[in-house]
mmCIF file with all atom_site columns, all heavy atoms in Angstrom:
data_model
loop_
_atom_site.group_PDB
_atom_site.id
_atom_site.type_symbol
_atom_site.label_atom_id
_atom_site.label_alt_id
_atom_site.label_comp_id
_atom_site.label_asym_id
_atom_site.label_entity_id
_atom_site.label_seq_id
_atom_site.pdbx_PDB_ins_code
_atom_site.Cartn_x
_atom_site.Cartn_y
_atom_site.Cartn_z
_atom_site.occupancy
_atom_site.B_iso_or_equiv
_atom_site.pdbx_formal_charge
_atom_site.auth_seq_id
_atom_site.auth_comp_id
_atom_site.auth_asym_id
_atom_site.auth_atom_id
_atom_site.pdbx_PDB_model_num
ATOM 1   N N   . ARG H 1 211 ? 55.097 -9.233  -28.734 1.00 94.00 ? 211 ARG H N   1
ATOM 2   C CA  . ARG H 1 211 ? 55.977 -10.403 -28.828 1.00 94.00 ? 211 ARG H CA  1
ATOM 3   C C   . ARG H 1 211 ? 55.475 -11.390 -29.879 1.00 94.00 ? 211 ARG H C   1
ATOM 4   O O   . ARG H 1 211 ? 56.239 -11.881 -30.715 1.00 94.00 ? 211 ARG H O   1
ATOM 5   C CB  . ARG H 1 211 ? 56.093 -11.090 -27.469 1.00 94.00 ? 211 ARG H CB  1
ATOM 6   C CG  . ARG H 1 211 ? 57.081 -12.261 -27.475 1.00 94.00 ? 211 ARG H CG  1
ATOM 7   C CD  . ARG H 1 211 ? 57.132 -12.969 -26.129 1.00 94.00 ? 211 ARG H CD  1
ATOM 8   N NE  . ARG H 1 211 ? 55.865 -13.644 -25.847 1.00 94.00 ? 211 ARG H NE  1
ATOM 9   C CZ  . ARG H 1 211 ? 55.078 -13.323 -24.838 1.00 94.00 ? 211 ARG H CZ  1
ATOM 10  N NH1 . ARG H 1 211 ? 55.390 -12.328 -24.011 1.00 94.00 ? 211 ARG H NH1 1
ATOM 11  N NH2 . ARG H 1 211 ? 53.943 -13.975 -24.635 1.00 94.00 ? 211 ARG H NH2 1
ATOM 12  N N   . ASP H 1 212 ? 54.180 -11.658 -29.869 1.00 94.00 ? 212 ASP H N   1
ATOM 13  C CA  . ASP H 1 212 ? 53.642 -12.634 -30.809 1.00 94.00 ? 212 ASP H CA  1
ATOM 14  C C   . ASP H 1 212 ? 53.694 -12.125 -32.247 1.00 94.00 ? 212 ASP H C   1
ATOM 15  O O   . ASP H 1 212 ? 53.944 -12.905 -33.181 1.00 94.00 ? 212 ASP H O   1
ATOM 16  C CB  . ASP H 1 212 ? 52.194 -12.974 -30.427 1.00 94.00 ? 212 ASP H CB  1
ATOM 17  C CG  . ASP H 1 212 ? 52.120 -13.914 -29.232 1.00 94.00 ? 212 ASP H CG  1
ATOM 18  O OD1 . ASP H 1 212 ? 53.185 -14.190 -28.628 1.00 94.00 ? 212 ASP H OD1 1
ATOM 19  O OD2 . ASP H 1 212 ? 51.014 -14.366 -28.894 1.00 94.00 ? 212 ASP H OD2 1
ATOM 20  N N   . VAL H 1 213 ? 53.446 -10.829 -32.434 1.00 94.00 ? 213 VAL H N   1
ATOM 21  C CA  . VAL H 1 213 ? 53.570 -10.261 -33.779 1.00 94.00 ? 213 VAL H CA  1
ATOM 22  C C   . VAL H 1 213 ? 55.009 -10.391 -34.271 1.00 94.00 ? 213 VAL H C   1
ATOM 23  O O   . VAL H 1 213 ? 55.268 -10.779 -35.415 1.00 94.00 ? 213 VAL H O   1
ATOM 24  C CB  . VAL H 1 213 ? 53.106 -8.797  -33.807 1.00 94.00 ? 213 VAL H CB  1
ATOM 25  C CG1 . VAL H 1 213 ? 53.480 -8.126  -35.124 1.00 94.00 ? 213 VAL H CG1 1
ATOM 26  C CG2 . VAL H 1 213 ? 51.599 -8.708  -33.588 1.00 94.00 ? 213 VAL H CG2 1
ATOM 27  N N   . ALA H 1 214 ? 55.976 -10.083 -33.389 1.00 95.00 ? 214 ALA H N   1
ATOM 28  C CA  . ALA H 1 214 ? 57.390 -10.182 -33.765 1.00 95.00 ? 214 ALA H CA  1
ATOM 29  C C   . ALA H 1 214 ? 57.771 -11.616 -34.121 1.00 95.00 ? 214 ALA H C   1
ATOM 30  O O   . ALA H 1 214 ? 58.494 -11.861 -35.097 1.00 95.00 ? 214 ALA H O   1
ATOM 31  C CB  . ALA H 1 214 ? 58.263 -9.666  -32.621 1.00 95.00 ? 214 ALA H CB  1
ATOM 32  N N   . MET H 1 215 ? 57.264 -12.582 -33.359 1.00 95.00 ? 215 MET H N   1
ATOM 33  C CA  . MET H 1 215 ? 57.582 -13.980 -33.624 1.00 95.00 ? 215 MET H CA  1
ATOM 34  C C   . MET H 1 215 ? 57.029 -14.445 -34.966 1.00 95.00 ? 215 MET H C   1
ATOM 35  O O   . MET H 1 215 ? 57.599 -15.344 -35.614 1.00 95.00 ? 215 MET H O   1
ATOM 36  C CB  . MET H 1 215 ? 57.022 -14.859 -32.498 1.00 95.00 ? 215 MET H CB  1
ATOM 37  C CG  . MET H 1 215 ? 57.760 -14.736 -31.180 1.00 95.00 ? 215 MET H CG  1
ATOM 38  S SD  . MET H 1 215 ? 57.016 -15.775 -29.897 1.00 95.00 ? 215 MET H SD  1
ATOM 39  C CE  . MET H 1 215 ? 57.259 -17.415 -30.606 1.00 95.00 ? 215 MET H CE  1
ATOM 40  N N   . ASN H 1 216 ? 55.935 -13.845 -35.404 1.00 94.00 ? 216 ASN H N   1
ATOM 41  C CA  . ASN H 1 216 ? 55.304 -14.266 -36.658 1.00 94.00 ? 216 ASN H CA  1
ATOM 42  C C   . ASN H 1 216 ? 55.745 -13.452 -37.871 1.00 94.00 ? 216 ASN H C   1
ATOM 43  O O   . ASN H 1 216 ? 55.257 -13.701 -38.982 1.00 94.00 ? 216 ASN H O   1
ATOM 44  C CB  . ASN H 1 216 ? 53.781 -14.184 -36.525 1.00 94.00 ? 216 ASN H CB  1
ATOM 45  C CG  . ASN H 1 216 ? 53.206 -15.351 -35.745 1.00 94.00 ? 216 ASN H CG  1
ATOM 46  O OD1 . ASN H 1 216 ? 53.164 -16.480 -36.229 1.00 94.00 ? 216 ASN H OD1 1
ATOM 47  N ND2 . ASN H 1 216 ? 52.777 -15.072 -34.516 1.00 94.00 ? 216 ASN H ND2 1
ATOM 48  N N   . LEU H 1 217 ? 56.657 -12.520 -37.676 1.00 94.00 ? 217 LEU H N   1
ATOM 49  C CA  . LEU H 1 217 ? 57.095 -11.692 -38.808 1.00 94.00 ? 217 LEU H CA  1
ATOM 50  C C   . LEU H 1 217 ? 57.621 -12.508 -39.991 1.00 94.00 ? 217 LEU H C   1
ATOM 51  O O   . LEU H 1 217 ? 57.332 -12.171 -41.152 1.00 94.00 ? 217 LEU H O   1
ATOM 52  C CB  . LEU H 1 217 ? 58.150 -10.674 -38.346 1.00 94.00 ? 217 LEU H CB  1
ATOM 53  C CG  . LEU H 1 217 ? 57.621 -9.463  -37.571 1.00 94.00 ? 217 LEU H CG  1
ATOM 54  C CD1 . LEU H 1 217 ? 58.774 -8.564  -37.145 1.00 94.00 ? 217 LEU H CD1 1
ATOM 55  C CD2 . LEU H 1 217 ? 56.627 -8.670  -38.412 1.00 94.00 ? 217 LEU H CD2 1
ATOM 56  N N   . PRO H 1 218 ? 58.395 -13.588 -39.761 1.00 94.00 ? 218 PRO H N   1
ATOM 57  C CA  . PRO H 1 218 ? 58.869 -14.358 -40.925 1.00 94.00 ? 218 PRO H CA  1
ATOM 58  C C   . PRO H 1 218 ? 57.733 -14.942 -41.766 1.00 94.00 ? 218 PRO H C   1
ATOM 59  O O   . PRO H 1 218 ? 57.914 -15.185 -42.966 1.00 94.00 ? 218 PRO H O   1
ATOM 60  C CB  . PRO H 1 218 ? 59.703 -15.478 -40.281 1.00 94.00 ? 218 PRO H CB  1
ATOM 61  C CG  . PRO H 1 218 ? 60.154 -14.912 -38.972 1.00 94.00 ? 218 PRO H CG  1
ATOM 62  C CD  . PRO H 1 218 ? 59.006 -14.073 -38.512 1.00 94.00 ? 218 PRO H CD  1
ATOM 63  N N   . ASP H 1 219 ? 56.569 -15.147 -41.155 1.00 93.00 ? 219 ASP H N   1
ATOM 64  C CA  . ASP H 1 219 ? 55.429 -15.711 -41.887 1.00 93.00 ? 219 ASP H CA  1
ATOM 65  C C   . ASP H 1 219 ? 54.496 -14.623 -42.423 1.00 93.00 ? 219 ASP H C   1
ATOM 66  O O   . ASP H 1 219 ? 53.431 -14.933 -42.990 1.00 93.00 ? 219 ASP H O   1
ATOM 67  C CB  . ASP H 1 219 ? 54.627 -16.634 -40.967 1.00 93.00 ? 219 ASP H CB  1
ATOM 68  C CG  . ASP H 1 219 ? 55.431 -17.837 -40.509 1.00 93.00 ? 219 ASP H CG  1
ATOM 69  O OD1 . ASP H 1 219 ? 56.210 -18.374 -41.312 1.00 93.00 ? 219 ASP H OD1 1
ATOM 70  O OD2 . ASP H 1 219 ? 55.285 -18.222 -39.324 1.00 93.00 ? 219 ASP H OD2 1
ATOM 71  N N   . ALA H 1 220 ? 54.886 -13.356 -42.239 1.00 93.00 ? 220 ALA H N   1
ATOM 72  C CA  . ALA H 1 220 ? 53.992 -12.246 -42.602 1.00 93.00 ? 220 ALA H CA  1
ATOM 73  C C   . ALA H 1 220 ? 54.572 -11.380 -43.715 1.00 93.00 ? 220 ALA H C   1
ATOM 74  O O   . ALA H 1 220 ? 54.187 -10.224 -43.862 1.00 93.00 ? 220 ALA H O   1
ATOM 75  C CB  . ALA H 1 220 ? 53.713 -11.394 -41.361 1.00 93.00 ? 220 ALA H CB  1
ATOM 76  N N   . THR H 1 221 ? 55.483 -11.955 -44.505 1.00 93.00 ? 221 THR H N   1
ATOM 77  C CA  . THR H 1 221 ? 56.121 -11.159 -45.549 1.00 93.00 ? 221 THR H CA  1
ATOM 78  C C   . THR H 1 221 ? 55.395 -11.233 -46.886 1.00 93.00 ? 221 THR H C   1
ATOM 79  O O   . THR H 1 221 ? 55.664 -10.437 -47.780 1.00 93.00 ? 221 THR H O   1
ATOM 80  C CB  . THR H 1 221 ? 57.579 -11.611 -45.750 1.00 93.00 ? 221 THR H CB  1
ATOM 81  O OG1 . THR H 1 221 ? 57.597 -13.013 -46.052 1.00 93.00 ? 221 THR H OG1 1
ATOM 82  C CG2 . THR H 1 221 ? 58.408 -11.344 -44.505 1.00 93.00 ? 221 THR H CG2 1
ATOM 83  N N   . GLY H 1 222 ? 54.489 -12.179 -47.020 1.00 95.00 ? 222 GLY H N   1
ATOM 84  C CA  . GLY H 1 222 ? 53.732 -12.300 -48.263 1.00 95.00 ? 222 GLY H CA  1
ATOM 85  C C   . GLY H 1 222 ? 52.278 -11.943 -48.057 1.00 95.00 ? 222 GLY H C   1
ATOM 86  O O   . GLY H 1 222 ? 51.818 -11.682 -46.941 1.00 95.00 ? 222 GLY H O   1
ATOM 87  N N   . TYR H 1 223 ? 51.521 -11.938 -49.172 1.00 95.00 ? 223 TYR H N   1
ATOM 88  C CA  . TYR H 1 223 ? 50.087 -11.705 -49.076 1.00 95.00 ? 223 TYR H CA  1
ATOM 89  C C   . TYR H 1 223 ? 49.415 -12.837 -48.307 1.00 95.00 ? 223 TYR H C   1
ATOM 90  O O   . TYR H 1 223 ? 49.839 -13.991 -48.358 1.00 95.00 ? 223 TYR H O   1
ATOM 91  C CB  . TYR H 1 223 ? 49.449 -11.655 -50.465 1.00 95.00 ? 223 TYR H CB  1
ATOM 92  C CG  . TYR H 1 223 ? 49.931 -10.545 -51.361 1.00 95.00 ? 223 TYR H CG  1
ATOM 93  C CD1 . TYR H 1 223 ? 50.359 -10.823 -52.658 1.00 95.00 ? 223 TYR H CD1 1
ATOM 94  C CD2 . TYR H 1 223 ? 49.923 -9.228  -50.939 1.00 95.00 ? 223 TYR H CD2 1
ATOM 95  C CE1 . TYR H 1 223 ? 50.786 -9.816  -53.511 1.00 95.00 ? 223 TYR H CE1 1
ATOM 96  C CE2 . TYR H 1 223 ? 50.353 -8.205  -51.773 1.00 95.00 ? 223 TYR H CE2 1
ATOM 97  C CZ  . TYR H 1 223 ? 50.789 -8.501  -53.065 1.00 95.00 ? 223 TYR H CZ  1
ATOM 98  O OH  . TYR H 1 223 ? 51.209 -7.501  -53.896 1.00 95.00 ? 223 TYR H OH  1
ATOM 99  N N   . SER H 1 224 ? 48.330 -12.504 -47.628 1.00 95.00 ? 224 SER H N   1
ATOM 100 C CA  . SER H 1 224 ? 47.479 -13.533 -47.033 1.00 95.00 ? 224 SER H CA  1
ATOM 101 C C   . SER H 1 224 ? 46.266 -13.735 -47.930 1.00 95.00 ? 224 SER H C   1
ATOM 102 O O   . SER H 1 224 ? 46.122 -13.092 -48.975 1.00 95.00 ? 224 SER H O   1
ATOM 103 C CB  . SER H 1 224 ? 47.025 -13.094 -45.631 1.00 95.00 ? 224 SER H CB  1
ATOM 104 O OG  . SER H 1 224 ? 46.051 -12.058 -45.729 1.00 95.00 ? 224 SER H OG  1
ATOM 105 N N   . ASP H 1 225 ? 45.375 -14.631 -47.519 1.00 95.00 ? 225 ASP H N   1
ATOM 106 C CA  . ASP H 1 225 ? 44.063 -14.715 -48.152 1.00 95.00 ? 225 ASP H CA  1
ATOM 107 C C   . ASP H 1 225 ? 43.443 -13.320 -48.156 1.00 95.00 ? 225 ASP H C   1
ATOM 108 O O   . ASP H 1 225 ? 43.655 -12.528 -47.224 1.00 95.00 ? 225 ASP H O   1
ATOM 109 C CB  . ASP H 1 225 ? 43.185 -15.685 -47.351 1.00 95.00 ? 225 ASP H CB  1
ATOM 110 C CG  . ASP H 1 225 ? 41.804 -15.840 -47.959 1.00 95.00 ? 225 ASP H CG  1
ATOM 111 O OD1 . ASP H 1 225 ? 40.921 -15.010 -47.649 1.00 95.00 ? 225 ASP H OD1 1
ATOM 112 O OD2 . ASP H 1 225 ? 41.614 -16.779 -48.735 1.00 95.00 ? 225 ASP H OD2 1
ATOM 113 N N   . SER H 1 226 ? 42.668 -12.988 -49.185 1.00 94.00 ? 226 SER H N   1
ATOM 114 C CA  . SER H 1 226 ? 42.147 -11.631 -49.311 1.00 94.00 ? 226 SER H CA  1
ATOM 115 C C   . SER H 1 226 ? 41.285 -11.223 -48.119 1.00 94.00 ? 226 SER H C   1
ATOM 116 O O   . SER H 1 226 ? 41.206 -10.043 -47.777 1.00 94.00 ? 226 SER H O   1
ATOM 117 C CB  . SER H 1 226 ? 41.355 -11.481 -50.610 1.00 94.00 ? 226 SER H CB  1
ATOM 118 O OG  . SER H 1 226 ? 40.256 -12.364 -50.630 1.00 94.00 ? 226 SER H OG  1
ATOM 119 N N   . GLN H 1 227 ? 40.644 -12.193 -47.463 1.00 96.00 ? 227 GLN H N   1
ATOM 120 C CA  . GLN H 1 227 ? 39.826 -11.868 -46.290 1.00 96.00 ? 227 GLN H CA  1
ATOM 121 C C   . GLN H 1 227 ? 40.614 -11.934 -44.992 1.00 96.00 ? 227 GLN H C   1
ATOM 122 O O   . GLN H 1 227 ? 40.117 -11.474 -43.958 1.00 96.00 ? 227 GLN H O   1
ATOM 123 C CB  . GLN H 1 227 ? 38.623 -12.815 -46.203 1.00 96.00 ? 227 GLN H CB  1
ATOM 124 C CG  . GLN H 1 227 ? 37.556 -12.533 -47.252 1.00 96.00 ? 227 GLN H CG  1
ATOM 125 C CD  . GLN H 1 227 ? 36.324 -13.403 -47.092 1.00 96.00 ? 227 GLN H CD  1
ATOM 126 O OE1 . GLN H 1 227 ? 35.853 -14.012 -48.039 1.00 96.00 ? 227 GLN H OE1 1
ATOM 127 N NE2 . GLN H 1 227 ? 35.780 -13.473 -45.889 1.00 96.00 ? 227 GLN H NE2 1
ATOM 128 N N   . GLY H 1 228 ? 41.830 -12.492 -45.016 1.00 96.00 ? 228 GLY H N   1
ATOM 129 C CA  . GLY H 1 228 ? 42.659 -12.539 -43.825 1.00 96.00 ? 228 GLY H CA  1
ATOM 130 C C   . GLY H 1 228 ? 43.077 -13.948 -43.468 1.00 96.00 ? 228 GLY H C   1
ATOM 131 O O   . GLY H 1 228 ? 42.534 -14.931 -43.987 1.00 96.00 ? 228 GLY H O   1
#
Side-chain angles (χ1 to χ4, degrees):
R211 184 183 67 244
D212 283 7
V213 169
M215 288 179 63
N216 282 288
L217 284 178
D219 297 322
T221 56
Y223 298 129
S224 73
D225 181 275
S226 61
Q227 287 184 229

